[in-house]
Amino acid sequence: EYNAYVKETDGTYTKLDSQLIRKYKTEDGNNTYYRVDAVGLAAGTYTIKIAPVFDGTEADTAATEIANLAVVAYDRTGFAFSTASPLAGKTVGAYNLDGTLKSNARVLYITESNKSTVTLDVITNNKGDTQSFTGVGNISQAMSKGYDGRPLVLRLIGKVTQSGLTNNNDSLNLGFKEVYKNLTTAQIADAGITIEGIGNDATLHGAGVRCLKTNNIEIRNLGLMNWPDDGIALESSNINIWVHDCDVFYGAAGSDSDQAKGDGSMDLKDDSGFITISYMHFWDSGKMSLCGMKSESGPNYITYHHNWFDHSDSRHPRIRTMSVHVYNNYFDGNSKYGVGVTTGADAFVENNYFRNCKNPMLSSLTGTDALGNGTFSDETSGTIKAYNNHIEGASSLIYANANTGTQGATTDANASSYDAVLVSSRTDTVDSTYNAGGATYNNFDTSINIGVTADQVETPEDAKATVMKYAGRVQGGDFTWTFDNATEDTNYGVISELKAAVVGYTSRLVSVQGIEGSSSSEDTPTEEVTVDSVIALIDALPEASAITESDRENVNAAKAAYDSLSETDQASVTNYSKLEACIAALPDVTSFTIDYVTTTVTTGSNNVTIYDDNNIVITATKIAAQDDKGIKFNSNKSFTITNNSSSTLNFVLTVIGNDSDKSFTYSGGTVTLGKTATTISFSIAAGGSETVSTSTGGAYLTTVVVSK
């Protein structure tokens, strides 16, 4: 083991928490190394000392010191830090404004191994009584009582999956709800919750983060992969929230045709306000950020700054009703659009760098959107004030008051139908005579403290460099991918290789000092499965009457271990009947997606089974090929879906053609295919089947979504 210490230059050493010291495999898997991260430091220059420990005694003479380590402060700007917000710019989360931890903060270290066993005392009533809760899900649920005003930090280490993180408020995500509902504003300012990853590899896999009716929360330095709903969702009256320095990858495919990459990567809804989204790295998101539903009373006040929209398709953000400041972001090869406003929304878009963003700015039913017959939205218009953006490679951009060639404009000025109003100074107001679509600009940016001053806003070129250096997790995270701009700037489909890498992501974490059994499950040396170990796995399961969806992973693990035994050993598993009962008690899967971009099938053979699970069988006469559009059928070929379940099931098929003259025929008729994906929907009764055929080659099946 090791001890680690940190000090500011000429200061005295402070011992770091043992859990900050972790052991990893090298990338080739042949060796190991240790890593320590010092968090909660103010900006400055520091020295870290690492000393080995032998038989409980620290060998100080063998210690190593690493000096002149520069600590740079996080950029605490935007509406979350506005003096006009309820917290008046004092704090967001469990850290002070200088980056140090609040003096009475409590810290929980969360790993895949201890997420269900970690404990915390929570104040449960107005008398100050406390109760101990076990497991992250139960702890976050207990915080909903709304009485505990002590700052709290959840520090995630390595890859952490969904089971054990969720609670009754949200069965899909790590989340908090109404945590400070019984506290005063002053008490909330002294409180705060920070959810953060440690190091460059902290990853939520198969889960997102969700906040409802919360205040004073910070989310930072996390990777989010294969999340089931939204990546990060701020729903229902969240105030003073700061989300920053995270990597957001593909989510699980949803049931709608526009959810192939997951639903919203970073959504804000239902009167959430005074929020900053900054230094985030969005990797090929389909729908980056919905900002506002239709229920907001407005203006809410949201900031997006220094984010890397890395080949993400749309919604950067898509704004309804809210007042949003969008500055110093890097729009990098966006196939659909950048900032979009509807329903009276107001956006100040300044000093951003747009590279090959098809439509940098859109307002519904006016300007570029009117040219496409409402391709963006059929809702009422909003207004964008634009200033000093670098724009290259745009397909269409129409200003109310600037001609072709001015800051990326592709068309001469049109004062009655435009995407944005261009100003010559950031302090200029927009006159109400600019009212395309009936929307006028509310000039929020000149009438309220927006949490950032002119000298803190970088030029577009400097912002691009800053974003590429600092956006996402520390040191750029542990996941690497290089987009091919030549194809991906205009492609809004799923990149099958990237999808496979996200779904199959594994951690190289071996162990965490101070946390027993903390090795990542996929990297722990494989132990021999024995009869006794299988019996132990089954004994650890709840009784069948208590089985819930959260137990599915453990039930499947026990079944896999049992199946790996020989037939002779299986006969010796005395409690197998309990496992059978638990399997039968698992809730029916109400919705799932079969993705033929990532699910490999046999090509070139006749009469192949391309899916057989969950009481669904899909057979095909012949698959011609498989690529990033899915599985390809030549002329006069078909596939049949058979429902062997006891219930009627609904099916939504995403299909596409390699040209405009392709088609699929099924019981509901013939669907003409083109180069843009479309859907086929039908239901199959229990025991029934549906055959889908094509008379032309070049017809693709991309995904099949099954639901009750």
Side-chain angles (χ1 to χ4, degrees), residues 279-317:
Y279 292 87
M280 301 284 284
H281 190 174
F282 297 93
W283 301 67
D284 196 36
S285 296
K287 299 185 293 183
M288 193 285 293
S289 184
L290 176 63
C291 188
M293 298 294 285
K294 298 180 181 179
S295 59
E296 286 78 15
S297 57
N300 299 98
Y301 302 124
I302 314 294
T303 301
Y304 294 81
H305 75 88
H306 289 95
N307 299 293
W308 190 350
F309 305 130
D310 196 353
H311 294 84
S312 47
D313 302 330
S314 64
R315 299 188 177 185
H316 307 98

Side-chain angles (χ1 to χ4, degrees), residues 288-289 291 304 309 313-320 324-327 329 331 334 336-342 345-350 352 354 357-364 368 376 383-386 389 396-397 419-420:
M288 193 285 293
S289 184
C291 188
Y304 294 81
F309 305 130
D313 302 330
S314 64
R315 299 188 177 185
H316 307 98
R318 185 198 194 284
I319 313 165
R320 292 188 182 105
V324 180
H325 190 192
V326 182
Y327 74 90
N329 300 283
F331 295 76
N334 312 114
K336 294 185 179 179
Y337 69 90
V339 181
V341 291
T342 77
D346 302 275
F348 178 31
V349 180
E350 69 160 331
N352 299 282
F354 292 86
C357 177
K358 182 179 180 181
N359 298 308
M361 291 170 258
L362 291 176
S363 178
S364 55
T368 296
F376 163 52
T383 307
I384 294 174
K385 169 184 170 179
N389 297 287
S396 179
L397 177 58
D419 301 321

Side-chain angles (χ1 to χ4, degrees), residues 16 460 619 621 673:
L16 296 173
T619 57
T621 54
L673 309 178

Side-chain angles (χ1 to χ4, degrees), residues 23-77:
K23 184 179 181 180
Y24 289 91
K25 288 182 179 180
T26 55
E27 190 168 358
D28 62 13
N30 295 328
N31 296 288
T32 60
Y33 66 94
Y34 284 86
R35 174 180 176 132
V36 61
D37 286 77
V39 294
L41 303 178
T45 303
Y46 290 81
T47 298
I48 285 181
K49 181 175 75 171
I50 301 168
V53 177
F54 300 104
D55 296 326
T57 301
E58 180 180 300
D60 189 61
T61 57
T64 299
E65 290 187 328
I66 304 97
N68 299 316
L69 298 172
V71 173
V72 179
Y74 280 124
D75 181 351
R76 288 174 165 83
T77 53

Side-chain angles (χ1 to χ4, degrees), residues 327-618:
Y327 74 90
N328 282 168
N329 300 283
Y330 181 27
F331 295 76
D332 183 11
N334 312 114
S335 61
K336 294 185 179 179
Y337 69 90
V339 181
V341 291
T342 77
T343 325
D346 302 275
F348 178 31
V349 180
E350 69 160 331
N351 284 55
N352 299 282
Y353 197 105
F354 292 86
R355 187 202 66 80
N356 286 1
C357 177
K358 182 179 180 181
N359 298 308
M361 291 170 258
L362 291 176
S363 178
S364 55
L365 303 179
T366 185
T368 296
D369 193 44
L371 301 177
N373 298 316
T375 56
F376 163 52
S377 171
D378 59 1
E379 297 170 336
T380 57
S381 304
T383 307
I384 294 174
K385 169 184 170 179
Y387 171 69
N388 197 41
N389 297 287
H390 173 96
I391 300 173
E392 60 182 71
S395 176
S396 179
L397 177 58
I398 306 169
Y399 291 119
N401 53 344
N403 290 329
T404 303
T406 304
Q407 285 194 32
T410 61
T411 305
D412 284 347
N414 187 336
S416 61
S417 183
Y418 51 81
D419 301 321
V421 180
L422 188 66
V423 297
S424 57
S425 169
R426 73 188 304 270
T427 58
D428 287 349
T429 58
V430 177
D431 192 84
S432 60
T433 56
Y434 292 110
N435 57 7
T440 58
Y441 190 65
N442 68 0
N443 291 299
F444 70 93
D445 53 294
T446 58
S447 61
I448 189 174
N449 180 276
I450 60 176
V452 62
T453 58
D455 62 305
Q456 293 173 307
V457 179
E458 297 181 291
T459 66
E461 292 74 19
D462 287 347
K464 174 186 173 183
T466 298
V467 166
M468 294 184 73
K469 183 176 181 180
Y470 291 116
R473 289 171 293 177
V474 64
Q475 299 174 313
D478 68 332
F479 186 97
T480 58
W481 185 266
T482 301
F483 290 100
D484 181 359
N485 291 344
T487 58
E488 297 309 330
D489 282 357
T490 57
N491 173 40
Y492 53 83
V494 173
I495 303 172
S496 57
E497 296 85 358
L498 177 57
K499 176 76 171 181
V502 167
V503 172
Y505 168 81
T506 59
S507 171
R508 298 204 307 270
L509 179 68
V510 175
S511 61
V512 180
Q513 207 167 272
I515 299 180
E516 185 177 353
S518 57
S519 299
S520 294
S521 58
E522 62 264 33
D523 292 316
T524 304
T526 303
E527 297 180 2
E528 181 184 1
V529 178
T530 65
V531 170
D532 288 342
S533 67
V534 173
I535 290 174
L537 285 173
I538 298 173
D539 280 341
L541 297 174
E543 293 302 317
S545 60
I547 285 287
T548 66
E549 177 60 33
S550 64
D551 299 308
R552 184 179 298 275
E553 182 177 337
N554 292 333
V555 172
N556 289 342
K559 182 62 164 63
Y562 173 84
D563 289 342
S564 70
L565 296 175
S566 66
E567 290 186 7
T568 301
D569 285 343
Q570 286 179 353
S572 300
V573 178
T574 54
N575 56 354
Y576 179 65
S577 61
K578 178 183 177 181
L579 177 58
E580 286 185 309
C582 289
I583 293 171
L586 282 170
D588 289 341
V589 177
T590 57
S591 178
F592 61 94
T593 299
I594 308 165
D595 187 345
Y596 284 116
V597 174
T598 58
T599 303
T600 303
V601 302
T602 301
T603 59
S605 299
N606 293 322
N607 301 317
V608 294
T609 298
I610 58 175
Y611 186 80
D612 187 359
D613 200 2
N614 295 308
N615 292 313
I616 302 297
V617 177
I618 306 179

Side-chain angles (χ1 to χ4, degrees), residues 607 610 617-622 633 636-643 651 653 655 663-671 680-685 687-695 701:
N607 301 317
I610 58 175
V617 177
I618 306 179
T619 57
T621 54
K622 190 175 185 178
F633 292 85
N636 300 313
K637 302 301 178 184
S638 65
F639 59 93
T640 300
I641 304 175
T642 302
N643 174 13
F651 294 81
L653 282 54
V655 292
S663 65
F664 272 124
T665 299
Y666 69 115
S667 62
T670 298
V671 176
I680 298 173
S681 301
F682 50 81
S683 298
I684 303 177
S689 63
E690 177 74 36
T691 297
V692 182
S693 61
T694 180
S695 59
L701 172 63

